[in-house]
Amino acid sequence: MLHPTAYEKAVSYFLEEFAGDTALVRASDPEQMPHLVSVLRSVVSKAVGSTVELESALVSYLRAHRFVHGNARAAGRIVLFFYLEEADTGIVMLIPGVRGEMETARFKLAGGLINPLRN
């Protein structure tokens, strides 16, 4: 995921190994992360080419691994995402994509994940 050309590999691995994993879902806590949701909204808006809102954003946090994952809807598309705190890197998947079945975008958060709810 850290290499700028390996997005599809990271996405495929996540979808195959974790997306439907009941243990992962149960081990993850629902979390409000408005800063992350704001970044995701920006990334999705750039991908779609217009300002969009994320609808029904579900953010889950697997604390033991500092791994954030979730989903939302935007502009009639499914939005899947994950973020690794240690690497300060995340990926957003849009289904369907703007130009195909799926599009991916990698993002980094300058200074890491800041949660204003915990200040």
Side-chain angles (χ1 to χ4, degrees):
M1 185 173 89
L2 296 177
H3 195 279
T5 60
Y7 304 151
E8 287 75 19
K9 244 185 196 175
V11 169
S12 293
Y13 182 77
F14 175 75
L15 293 175
E16 289 173 13
E17 299 295 327
F18 300 112
D21 189 301
T22 304
L24 173 77
V25 173
R26 288 187 179 148
S28 301
D29 297 317
E31 189 76 45
Q32 290 188 15
M33 296 186 171
H35 178 63
L36 177 61
V37 172
S38 177
V39 169
L40 294 168
R41 181 176 37 246
S42 176
V43 171
V44 171
S45 293
K46 286 179 184 176
V48 171
S50 65
T51 302
V52 300
E53 291 299 319
L54 290 185
E55 304 164 23
S56 305
L58 172 63
V59 179
S60 298
Y61 186 42
L62 185 60
R63 279 179 175 69
H65 298 282
R66 300 178 62 208
F67 177 69
V68 181
H69 59 98
N71 62 73
R73 293 192 55 82
R77 295 173 167 81
I78 296 170
V79 178
L80 302 175
F81 59 88
F82 57 89
Y83 173 76
L84 296 163
E85 283 186 303
E86 188 173 317
D88 185 26
T89 302
I91 290 185
V92 175
M93 297 146 272
L94 291 176
I95 305 167
V98 176
R99 296 175 295 272
E101 292 181 28
M102 178 176 71
E103 294 206 28
T104 60
R106 186 178 71 157
F107 65 93
K108 293 183 85 47
L109 300 177
L113 184 60
I114 299 166
N115 189 341
L117 298 176
R118 299 206 195 277
N119 285 342

